[in-house]
Amino acid sequence: MADLDAEQKGTAQALAVRLWNSRWLLIAGVVAILAVYALAAISAYIVLAALALLLAAAMLPVSGTRQSAESAAAIEAFGLQRLSGEYLAAAVADPLIIFDRTATIVHANAAAFAAFGGIAPGLSLSLKFRAPEMQALLDGVLSGDVASDVVDYTEKLPVERAYRVSASSVGHGTDLYVLVFKDQSEARRIDRMRADFIANASHELRTPLASIAGFIETLRGPARNDPAARDQFLQIMQSQTGRMARLIDDLLSLSRLEMKPYLKPGTEVDLRETVDSVIDSLGPLARENSVAVERDYADGPLDVPGDRDELFQVFENLLENACKYGQSGGRVVVSIARSDAGSEPGIDVTIRDFGPGIPEEHIPRITERFYRVDVETSRTQKGTGLGLSIVKHILTRHNARLSIKSEFGKGAAFSVHLPTH
């Protein structure tokens, strides 16, 4: 009923606007009709009819542009009457706080309550946000020195969050101001990760390059005429160039994966055939490390939607790590089983070794780029520190997940859960 009354009121306002804009036309028409009536002595009924036609003409739009402008103005006036600051603040996804000239909170939206907690109308912003940059922001806006301003602000508790905070006045003569907090935490995290990545990649490339440069200098100097030293140094240089080539290949793989969109279901991959191919291709490595690879597959078809080459790369990375770092256990078990539990049925591929295992504190970070549990062991095994990062990216594209279980001294199990739909 209230909406109907408001609509009728808005319509009346639009009609009033149109009559006001046509007032001179109406006055001129009335004067002309009355003059004709006085001079020509025509019937009063004709005069009334003429006045009615004049009023109807005044209600008609003078032009399409004028009608559109008048309608837009009436709709805008009607809509803004129904709009409140509270509704507008609630529609903003970022934390938003409205305050007055004394820096006292007048209103805060739900996002602000969730982000900062313990804020309510009547609380002083100066007491809530004590950081110098926030105090300077409030002082600048409230003093009228600036109409709006922006600062970077970091909230330490309960978790560290970085915000770009903007402050400005609301309207004219309202004595109200607004703070809007734009969360920059994810952007900052990505920037730090990018900087760390560049630093790590530079370090990983600089080490073999420095080694090669040193051996070249030695070969051109003291070892110029020493065949035994020359053969030894050339062998080391070849190993270092191979290390750089592997690192560059892995970096390119990561770059290509990050540029690809999420994989759309389409092609079916036979996991039995794919995992068998991986085991066969790594047979020489397993024999070199004296590791026996055992298979434990479920019966029936084991198909999932995905990209065969990428899934091959996933299982190759995991089995290669199991053969290298679980060498002391003497065997690796590769199992494929259906997982019908929960709301996401699929197929689990688990690669389990019986080596030294992974300390629990390292497991959450083991898929980070260049993160190594044991740096020396990793480099001895010709690892680049990017293998599990590549695995993680590929599984993300397949809407799959990787879980890691390990008990120090008893081996580790890497399980890949692939959805069947």
Side-chain angles (χ1 to χ4, degrees):
M1 186 68 182
D3 289 342
L4 183 59
D5 291 341
E7 184 176 355
Q8 291 173 348
K9 185 177 180 181
T11 303
Q13 288 176 341
L15 292 175
V17 168
R18 185 169 298 175
L19 286 172
W20 176 254
N21 290 334
S22 305
R23 61 189 183 280
W24 299 114
L25 175 63
L26 284 171
I27 292 171
V30 170
V31 170
I33 292 171
L34 291 177
V36 171
Y37 173 72
L39 296 174
I42 58 176
S43 171
Y45 293 106
I46 296 176
V47 172
L48 292 175
L51 289 173
L53 288 173
L54 179 62
L55 182 61
M59 295 298 296
L60 292 175
V62 176
S63 65
T65 304
R66 185 171 177 179
Q67 179 191 20
S68 176
E70 292 173 0
S71 299
I75 291 171
E76 181 181 10
F78 172 59
L80 289 176
Q81 286 176 357
R82 301 173 65 188
L83 181 65
S84 73
E86 183 178 353
Y87 293 153
L88 185 59
V92 177
D94 297 316
L96 183 147
I97 298 174
I98 300 173
F99 60 100
D100 61 19
R101 291 196 63 83
T102 63
T104 301
I105 297 176
V106 174
H107 178 74
N109 67 359
F113 281 104
F116 306 116
I119 58 175
L123 179 68
S124 173
L125 283 175
S126 301
L127 296 177
K128 178 62 180 177
F129 300 102
R130 297 176 179 270
E133 60 271 21
M134 289 296 291
Q135 297 289 330
L137 177 68
L138 294 173
D139 290 343
V141 174
L142 291 175
S143 65
D145 294 340
V146 291
S148 62
D149 202 0
V150 178
V151 298
D152 291 323
Y153 167 69
T154 301
E155 182 80 3
K156 301 294 185 181
L157 297 173
V159 294
E160 184 171 329
R161 309 291 295 180
Y163 294 98
R164 174 64 60 87
V165 187
S166 60
S168 60
S169 59
V170 180
H172 299 286
T174 62
D175 284 341
L176 292 178
Y177 304 84
V178 63
L179 282 178
V180 179
F181 296 77
K182 190 72 176 178
D183 196 337
Q184 303 287 307
S185 305
E186 183 65 15
R188 299 281 180 86
R189 186 188 68 82
I190 292 172
D191 286 341
R192 283 196 299 267
M193 188 171 63
R194 184 183 296 112
D196 291 344
F197 175 69
I198 293 172
N200 287 326
S202 301
H203 174 75
E204 292 292 332
L205 287 170
R206 185 184 296 113
T207 302
L209 277 174
S211 176
I212 292 170
F215 287 127
I216 290 174
E217 185 178 349
T218 305
L219 288 172
R220 295 182 66 183
R224 180 189 298 272
N225 299 315
D226 187 340
R230 183 170 62 246
D231 290 343
Q232 180 186 2
F233 291 164
L234 288 173
Q235 178 63 37
I236 295 173
M237 290 167 65
Q238 183 179 18
S239 173
Q240 294 296 328
T241 55
R243 175 183 166 188
M244 285 193 296
R246 290 191 301 273
L247 178 60
I248 291 170
D249 287 342
D250 283 351
L251 287 172
L252 291 174
S253 293
L254 267 177
S255 178
R256 284 192 294 266
L257 287 168
E258 289 176 344
M259 293 174 64
K260 289 181 179 180
Y262 279 92
L263 190 70
K264 295 180 179 179
T267 307
E268 291 287 325
V269 178
D270 183 347
L271 287 179
R272 188 192 309 275
E273 182 273 331
T274 303
V275 174
D276 278 340
S277 298
V278 171
I279 294 173
D280 293 340
S281 69
L282 292 177
L285 176 67
R287 288 190 292 272
E288 180 183 334
N289 288 278
S290 302
V291 173
V293 180
E294 303 172 8
R295 312 179 198 212
D296 182 15
Y297 301 165
D299 296 329
L302 298 170
D303 299 335
V304 295
D307 183 295
R308 184 192 181 279
D309 291 339
E310 291 186 2
L311 291 179
F312 185 96
Q313 191 175 6
V314 166
F315 301 128
E316 184 181 43
N317 264 301
L318 295 178
L319 183 56
E320 183 177 354
N321 286 346
C323 291
K324 288 179 178 179
Y325 303 111
Q327 177 183 4
S328 60
R331 68 189 183 105
V332 171
V333 177
V334 181
S335 60
I336 307 178
R338 292 184 183 82
S339 174
D340 298 325
S343 59
E344 194 179 67
I347 297 177
D348 292 339
V349 181
T350 303
I351 298 176
R352 173 173 175 73
D353 67 70
F354 298 87
I358 304 169
E360 185 177 356
E361 65 270 18
H362 292 287
I363 292 178
R365 299 190 59 191
I366 202 169
T367 58
E368 293 180 12
R369 300 173 182 182
F370 296 111
Y371 187 84
R372 293 181 170 97
V373 175
D374 186 329
V375 176
E376 292 304 320
T377 301
S378 175
R379 288 179 176 168
T380 301
Q381 296 291 353
K382 301 179 180 179
T384 64
L386 295 173
L388 289 178
S389 293
I390 292 173
V391 167
K392 179 182 176 182
H393 276 75
I394 292 175
L395 294 182
T396 299
R397 290 193 63 240
H398 284 73
N399 196 27
R401 64 176 183 269
L402 174 69
S403 61
I404 305 169
K405 295 181 181 179
S406 178
E407 187 176 349
F408 190 65
K410 296 185 179 180
F414 289 76
S415 298
V416 174
H417 177 81
L418 292 155
T420 51
H421 301 290

